[in-house]
Amino acid sequence: MGTSHQGIAASDGLFRGPVRRLGSARRERRGTGDAATERQALQQAIAHAVAGVTALMARVDGEAQDILGFQVAMLEDDALSAPALSTIDTGTPAHVAWSAALDGEISGYEASDDDYFRARAADLRDIRDRVLRHLAGGDAAGEATGAVLLGDDIAPTAFLETDWTAGGAIALLRGSATSHVAMLARARGVPMVTGLGELPARTAVLAVDGGRGAVLADPDSAQRAQFDAALEADTRARAREERFRLRPAVRRSGERIDILINVAGVGELDRIDHAACDGIGLMRSEFLFRDGAPLPGEETQYRAYRRFAEWAQGRPVTIRTLDIGGDKPVRGLTPEGESNPFLGLRGVRLTLAREDVFRTQLRALARAAVHGNLKVMLPMVTAPDELARSAALLDACVAELGAQGVACHRPPLGIMVEVPAAAVMPELFRGAAFFSIGSNDLTQYVTASSRDDARVAALNDPSHPAVTALIARVARFGREAGIPVSLCGDMASEPRHLPALLDAGLTSLSVAPARIARLKAAIAEL
Ligand code: PEP
Ligand code: MG
């Protein structure tokens, strides 16, 4: 009988297949003994790696392009190669010097308390191994899978170079659900489980349940039959849901529910049929601000926001101002060494403290608002004064653009309701053009259980009556005051929470694009 193992769910879906182990990329190489030649060898290997990743970029889109762009920027950054080149000058072979320099960087990232930084270690390992392969005189080509890739962690480029057309899955002993690969796997629909810890040494076959975060090692025939039956049922369910994708979401009672989407990057739009949703309910603009990369200026931001506005063809597009801090630090913007970043200088608190950054964003938003039905939303609002000060800044930016003769429009300004202070007393925010309930943060603050700590995951439950009571309260106040209310936390993407949300009187939900069809099907059955 096979053994079952629990990990962390990183990407939905079921797959059973032979195990293919993700090997170590280190290859044998002898140094030439000449520092100048070794220097040149390393510089050439880095140049080849840049060329290889750039070529791969041309074959992918969306987030994948962003991830590879990040790798190219790292490879081209002299600060990364400088320590290795200095070590080469002391007589060390290029591959040893490069490995040592990168291993030092990687362990720094791995030791971080922060999920985000730990996840970036995979990108650095990818960069390290790619250059080592070039130093050893070759690079691995993409392989077809139809297998379960098993290893400690998987590099983003290894994922992108893999041919997934024959199906497949990923099972990682370490890894994180917030890594770049997990994001790619979700976008491609490749089932993935991370954080499995240990698996029996000689595991030959794995049955992966990405949604449950569980795997079955070497299932026997009865277990295989059971898994295959679940897989078949899942495939049938997905096919049935697909029929709902392009239809409006309507309950049996005839009530129409607006289904909008949550997005992070412009590239995601290419994979989404805009006719499948009622607009964009949450664009997390902080993802334009990549950690370690230069801050995007007004023009770059304007072009990005304009693309969202135009893509939606008149449907509403809600762009949230920077919500950095908490679990989304950006070096140079977020404070170092906060004892509790989730309760610190985050979201609108930070942008109000960094008026220069806030103004650049508000100007870009006011300019983009000319090109569609754009709305602006403030994250982490706690006190009415934060809304008033942000509104005054937005007005000032619009006036300034007007005086400069730049086309602009003053977008409606709404707030996220995700801090208990706002959810308990929404009447403090009558000046907001709309409310969008952020159930992810609201749940973590109401239940005092961190949203990114697996040990308290059971407590971090959005269906806790204290959370649903607050949601109902905000929805009721919105109806009475004539302020539109939506919900954009992950709770809206889970069909099991639908009854509570619709009972609370919500008629607008913003969800993960991959969940549109499933939710519309579930709503039709309610
Ligand atoms: C939320 O808190 O529910 C939300 C939608 O915002 P984020 O997940 O980006 O914090
Ligand atoms: Mg939030």
Side-chain angles (χ1 to χ4, degrees), residues 109-122:
Y109 275 74
E110 278 172 343
S112 167
D113 288 339
D114 198 304
D115 244 16
Y116 177 87
F117 287 112
R118 279 201 306 279
R120 297 296 84 78

Side-chain angles (χ1 to χ4, degrees), residues 320 323 346 416 418 438 440-441 451:
R320 182 172 72 184
D323 184 20
R346 161 180 187 203
M416 294 277 301
E418 54 185 343
N440 304 338
D441 278 309
R451 61 190 275 181

Side-chain angles (χ1 to χ4, degrees), residues 144-156:
T145 174
V148 180
L149 303 190
L150 169 65
D152 278 346
D153 207 346
I154 174 174

